[in-house]
C-alpha cells in the first residue's frame, strides 16, 4: 500500500553504509576562559535588589515571630509561632480568605470573558487604534482616584449609578455600597472597569500572533467562525491569557486602595478581603507581629497559586510528550 | 473529482491589481501547476479557489457549480499550506482527523480513514506526536494527510515543499505526483520553482504580474514558450538571449550578430515574414543547444572568452563572454577550460527561438 517504499526521510547517519566516523575526542580542548568579571558586573544589581526586596522580607519574618513593641526603647518580645497559631482560631482571618477568593474569582471571570470578547471585536476593526487609546484611560488612573470616582457614582444622593439602579427597581433599599450583597458587586465593577482594558490589550496582542494559516486551514477543513475561535485561536491565546490572569490575580491580592476608599471593608465585613483585614490589624490595631504573620500567609499562598496557575495554563504547544510514541 | 473553471477572474487589493482577467480551465483529475515568480498572483488565485480571498470580479466554477459565494468550509476542498499550518496543540492524529471531525463522521470511521492516510504516507508511528516533535518532512506529510483523509473534490497546494531541504524536496516531488495519480483528484499546485512544475504537472499555467502568460503541457512550455518571460523563467540554467539583426528576406533570411551569420530554415524565415518581424530581434537559445570548442582555431562563428566554469559532476556549465554579451553553455565535460581561455561557440539553428525585441513576443 505504501506510496514509496524506498525511503521517506533523508536517512539518518547510520542508514548510510560506509560512513566515516571519528570516535575519539580531540587531544587538546580549547577551553573558553571563565569570565569571572561578569560576576562583579552583576554585583551592584544583586546588592540593590537584596536591599530593597530581600531585607523587608527577612524583616517580615522577624516581625511575624515577635510581639512587636511600638513604644520607643522597648525591645520586641519573642513570640515563636504564636502569631501563626492564633490565626487558626481567628474567624475574621478565615472570612478574609473566603471574601478574597470570592472577590478575585468574580473580578477575574468577568474581566477575562469581557476582555477577550472586546479584543475579538476590536481585532482588525477600523477603529482599533482609537478604541485602544480610549481603553487605556481607566488604566492610567490611580486606583484611589478610581475609588473616589465610583464612590461618587454610587453615592446615595447624587450618584448616577445609584439613580440608574434605583430607577430600574433592582435596588430595594439603602445605597449600593451600604447594601451587603451590592457592595461586593460595587467593588468588583470598579475593578472590572479599570482592568478589563488591560486584559483586552494583552489578548489583542495575542490575537495578532495567532497564525493566520492555522485559522485558514481550519476554515478549509470545514470549521465555522465560532468553532475556529475555540479550536484554533483560543489554544494559541493560552500563554497570553496566563500572563493576564497571573497579573490580575496578584493585583487582586495586593491592591486594596479602591476598597479602602469605597467601603473600608464594610458593610458588615462584606467586602473585607484578607489584605483589608491585614491593613486593619497592622495599622488600626497596631498588632504588627500578627499582621506580619497574616502577610506571610498571604505571600505564601500568592506564590503557590501563581505556580499552580502557571502549571494549568502551560503553553500546550511547548509541552512535549515523551511517552505515547507507539 | 471535478473540473475547475476560472472565468475572467480579477483580484485587486485596494488599487493593486494582483490577478488580471484570468481564464483557466482545470480538467477533471488534472494536475495543474500555477507557476510564476513571487508576486505574480498565483497564490491569490489559489486562495480565491479556496474561498479565502474574495473574488473581485469574475466567476469560479467547480464542475457546474458557481462557488464565488460559497465559504471555504462548504467548498469540499483540501488545501496544503506553505508552512503546513498544523495545529500545534493537537497530535498528528488529531490534526489529520480534524476535517473528518468537523464533518461529524463517527469515531471508528475517522480512525479508519486517518490510519489509511497515515499508512499511505508512512507516518503511522507518528500519530501520537505533536507537531513540535516532527521534522519538516514529517510535518509536511501530516499536512498532506490532513488533506487526503476526506476525499475532497479539489486539492490545493500552496508551495507545499518549498521549505524542505533539496534532497527531500526532490523525493517528495515524485511522491506527490504518484499520490495525485493514485487518488485521481483534480489538483491545483502553486509554486515558484519551475522544476516542480516541469516534473509534476500535467499542464502548467505560467503567470507574471497577475497575467496568465502561457498555459500548456511542460513540453509545450519548454519547447515553444510564447514570450521572452516564459522562455527565461522555465529551464535551468535559463535561456540565453542575444540581440540580433535579421538580414535577407523571403525563404533565406539569416540572423546576424557580430561576425556570426546564422542562416534560418525556410519555415523559420516564412514565419518571420508573415508575422512582420522587425529587423531588430532577440535570439533565444537554451544552454543545451550551444556547441563549444576550446582554443582559437575552432572554426565556429562566435569567438568568446571563458568567464567561469561550473562543473556539476557529469555536466559542466560554462559562462563565456563575447563583446557585451555573456552566454551559458551546458555540455558533457570533455576538457576543463580556465577563465580567460579563448573558445568558439556555435548555435544549433533548429532549436533557437526568436523574440520581438519590443514586445517580447515569440515568433517561434
Amino acid at each position: 500500500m505504501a506510496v514509496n517504499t524506498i525511503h521517506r526521510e533523508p536517512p539518518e547517519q547510520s542508514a548510510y553504509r560506509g560512513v566515516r566516523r571519528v570516535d575519539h575526542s580531540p587531544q587538546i580542548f580549547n577551553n573558553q576562559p571563565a569570565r569571572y568579571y561578569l560576576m562583579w558586573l552583576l554585583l551592584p544589581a544583586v546588592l540593590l535588589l537584596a536591599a530593597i526586596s530581600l531585607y523587608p522580607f527577612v524583616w517580615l519574618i522577624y516581625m511575624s515571630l515577635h510581639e512587636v513593641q511600638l513604644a520607643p526603647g522597648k525591645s520586641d518580645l519573642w513570640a515563636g509561632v504564636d502569631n501563626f497559631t492564633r490565626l487558626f482560631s481567628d474567624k475574621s482571618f478565615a472570612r478574609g480568605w473566603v471574601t478574597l477568593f470570592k472577590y478575585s474569582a468574580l473580578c477575574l471571570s468577568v474581566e477575562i470573558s469581557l476582555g477577550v470578547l472586546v479584543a475579538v471585536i476590536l481585532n482588525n476593526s477600523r477603529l482599533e487604534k482609537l478604541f485602544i487609546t480610549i481603553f487605556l484611560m481607566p488604566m492610567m488612573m490611580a486606583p484611589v482616584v478610581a475609588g473616589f470616582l465610583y464612590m461618587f457614582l454610587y453615592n446615595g444622593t447624587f450618584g448616577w449609578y445609584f439613580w440608574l439602579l434605583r430607577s430600574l427597581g433592582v435596588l430595594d433599599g439603602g445605597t449600593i455600597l451600604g447594601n451587603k450583597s451590592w457592595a461586593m458587586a460595587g467593588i468588583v465593577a470598579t475593578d472590572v472597569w479599570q482592568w478589563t482594558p488591560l486584559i483586552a490589550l494583552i489578548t489583542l496582542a495575542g490575537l495578532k500572533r495567532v497564525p493566520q494559516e492555522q485559522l485558514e486551514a481550519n476554515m478549509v477543513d470545514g470549521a465555522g467562525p465560532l468553532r475556529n475561535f475555540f479550536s484554533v485561536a483560543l489554544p494559541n491565546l493560552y500563554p497570553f491569557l496566563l500572563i493576564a490572569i497571573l497579573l490580575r490575580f496578584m493585583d487582586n491580592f495586593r491592591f486594596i486602595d479602591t476598597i479602602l476608599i469605597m467601603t473600608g471593608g464594610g458593610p458588615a465585613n462584606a467586602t473585607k478581603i484578607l489584605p483589608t483585614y491585614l491593613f486593619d490589624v497592622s495599622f488600626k490595631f497596631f498588632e504588627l507581629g500578627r499582621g506580619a504573620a497574616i502577610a506571610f500567609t498571604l505571600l505564601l499562598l500568592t506564590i503557590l497559586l501563581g505556580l499552580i496557575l502557571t502549571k494549568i495554563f502551560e503553553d500546550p504547544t511547548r509541552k512535549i510528550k515523551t511517552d505515547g510514541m507507539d | 473529482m471535478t473540473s475547475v473553471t476560472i472565468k475572467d477572474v480579477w483580484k485587486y487589493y485596494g488599487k493593486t491589481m494582483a490577478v488580471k482577467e484570468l481564464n483557466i480551465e482545470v480538467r477533471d483529475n488534472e494536475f495543474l501547476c500555477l507557476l510564476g515568480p513571487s508576486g505574480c498572483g498565483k497564490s491569490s488565485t489559489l486562495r480565491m479557489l479556496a474561498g479565502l480571498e474574495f473574488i473581485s470580479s469574475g466567476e469560479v466554477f467547480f464542475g457546474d457549480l458557481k462557488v464565488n459565494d460559497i465559504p471555504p468550509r462548504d467548498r469540499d476542498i483540501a488545501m496544503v499550506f506553505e508552512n503546513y499550518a498544523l495545529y500545534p496543540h493537537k497530535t498528528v492524529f488529531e490534526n489529520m482527523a480534524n476535517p473528518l471531525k468537523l464533518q461529524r463522521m463517527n469515531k471508528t470511521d475517522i480512525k479508519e480513514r486517518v490510519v489509511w492516510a497515515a499508512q499511505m504516507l508512512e507516518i503511522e508511528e507518528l500519530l501520537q506526536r505533536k507537531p513540535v516533535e516532527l521534522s519538516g518532512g514529517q510535518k509536511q506529510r501530516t499536512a498532506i494527510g490532513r488533506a487526503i483523509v476526506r476525499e475532497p473534490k479539489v486539492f490545493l497546494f500552496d508551495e507545499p515543499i518549498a521549505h524542505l531541504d533539496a534532497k527531500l524536496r526532490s523525493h517528495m516531488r515524485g511522491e506527490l505526483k504518484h499520490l495525485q495519480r493514485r487518488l485521481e483528484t483534480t489538483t491545483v499546485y502553486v509554486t515558484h520553482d519551475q522544476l516542480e512544475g516541469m516534473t509534476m504537472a500535467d499542464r502548467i499555467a505560467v503567470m507574471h504580474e497577475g497575467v496568465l502568460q502561457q498555459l500548456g503541457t511542460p513540453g509545450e512550455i519548454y519547447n515553444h514558450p510564447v514570450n521572452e518571460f516564459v522562455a527565461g523563467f522555465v529551464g535551468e540554467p535559463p535561456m540565453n538571449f542575444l540581440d540580433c539583426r535579421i538580414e535577407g528576406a523571403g525563404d533565406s533570411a539569416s540572423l546576424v550578430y557580430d561576425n556570426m551569420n546564422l542562416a534560418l530554415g525556410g519555415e523559420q524565415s516564412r514565419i518571420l515574414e508573415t508575422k512582420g518581424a522587425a529587423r531588430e530581434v532577440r535570439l533565444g537559445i537554451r544552454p543545451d543547444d550551444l556547441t563549444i570548442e576550446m582554443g582559437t582555431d575552432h572554426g565556429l562563428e562566435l569567438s568568446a572568452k571563458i568567464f567561469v566554469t561550473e562543473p556539476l559532476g557529469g555536466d559542466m556549465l560554462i559562462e563565456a563572454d563575447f563583446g557585451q554579451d555573456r552566454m551559458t553553455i551546458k555540455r558533457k565535460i570533455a576538457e576543463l577550460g580556465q577563465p580567460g581561455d579563448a573558445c568558439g561557440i556555435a548555435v544549433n539553428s533548429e532549436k533557437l527561438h526568436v523574440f520581438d525585441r519590443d514586445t517580447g513576443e515569440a515568433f517561434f
Side-chain angles (χ1 to χ4, degrees), chain A residues 291-314:
Chain A
I294 296 174
F296 189 69
T297 58
L298 192 63
L299 179 68
L300 274 189
L301 212 87
T302 312
I303 293 172
L304 196 72
L305 283 178
L307 288 177
I308 292 171
L309 267 179
T310 325
K311 204 84 200 155
I312 295 174
F313 279 90
E314 200 169 16

Side-chain angles (χ1 to χ4, degrees), chain B residues 5 16 72 81 126 212 271 273 279 284 287 298 300 325 344 353 358:
Chain B
T5 312
T16 321
F81 291 81
L126 306 175
L212 177 66
I271 293 173
E273 180 132 326
R279 289 280 127 186
H298 44 71
L300 300 180
D325 294 292
H353 303 267
D358 295 324

Side-chain angles (χ1 to χ4, degrees), chain A residues 1-4 7-9 16 213-214 216-222 231 235 317 321 324-325, chain B residues 47 73 81 83 86-89 98 120 122 125 128-129 133 141 146 150 167-168 171 175 178 182:
Chain A
M1 280 297 275
V3 173
N4 190 332
H7 70 278
R8 309 191 314 268
E9 295 291 319
Y16 289 108
E213 280 201 333
Q214 280 179 36
E216 288 174 350
N218 204 31
M219 271 158 78
V220 173
D221 280 355
S231 67
T317 60
K321 251 198 213 160
M325 297 210 181
Chain B
R47 292 169 59 79
R73 61 176 155 148
F81 291 81
N83 296 313
L86 299 177
Y87 314 120
H89 51 283
N98 193 49
M120 192 139 167
E122 296 179 30
E125 71 275 25
Q128 296 311 316
R129 294 207 198 167
E133 300 166 82
R141 276 155 197 284
R146 186 172 62 187
R150 58 163 203 196
K167 193 170 175 182
L168 192 54
H171 174 66
E175 233 177 81
H178 181 93
R182 233 189 94 135

Side-chain angles (χ1 to χ4, degrees), chain B residues 292-294 314-316 318 329-335:
Chain B
I292 185 167
E293 288 289 339
M294 302 305 297
D315 292 328
M316 165 99 90
I318 301 159
I329 302 112
K330 184 176 179 185
R331 63 163 200 168
K332 290 279 171 218
I333 289 181
E335 53 187 308

Side-chain angles (χ1 to χ4, degrees), chain B residues 209-255:
Chain B
E209 289 175 350
V211 181
L212 177 66
Q213 305 293 319
Q214 188 172 5
L215 178 61
T217 63
E220 285 165 7
I221 302 269
Y222 187 82
N223 295 317
H224 306 288
V226 296
N227 59 30
E228 230 180 282
F229 172 78
V230 176
F233 192 75
V234 175
E236 172 64 35
M239 186 183 273
N240 296 297
F241 294 105
L242 206 57
D243 284 343
C244 294
R245 217 171 55 250
I246 300 179
E247 286 188 356
D251 281 0
S252 57
S254 56
L255 287 173

Side-chain angles (χ1 to χ4, degrees), chain A residues 98-165:
Chain A
V98 174
T99 321
L100 174 61
F101 280 120
K102 203 167 114 189
Y103 169 68
S104 186
L106 276 172
C107 287
L108 276 178
S109 48
V110 177
E111 281 166 24
I112 295 290
S113 36
L114 212 59
V116 172
L117 185 71
V118 168
V120 169
I121 293 172
L122 274 190
N123 191 23
N124 295 333
S125 76
R126 271 195 308 152
L127 298 174
E128 189 180 332
K129 291 232 166 69
L130 175 73
F131 274 106
I132 287 176
T133 316
I134 294 174
F135 273 21
L136 277 172
M137 287 179 193
M139 276 164 52
M140 297 292 175
M141 213 171 272
V144 177
V145 179
F148 274 119
L149 177 69
Y150 268 72
M151 205 165 72
F152 289 136
L153 286 169
Y154 292 155
N155 187 287
T157 319
F158 51 81
W160 196 78
Y161 283 1
F162 171 75
W163 171 82
L164 189 74
L165 288 178

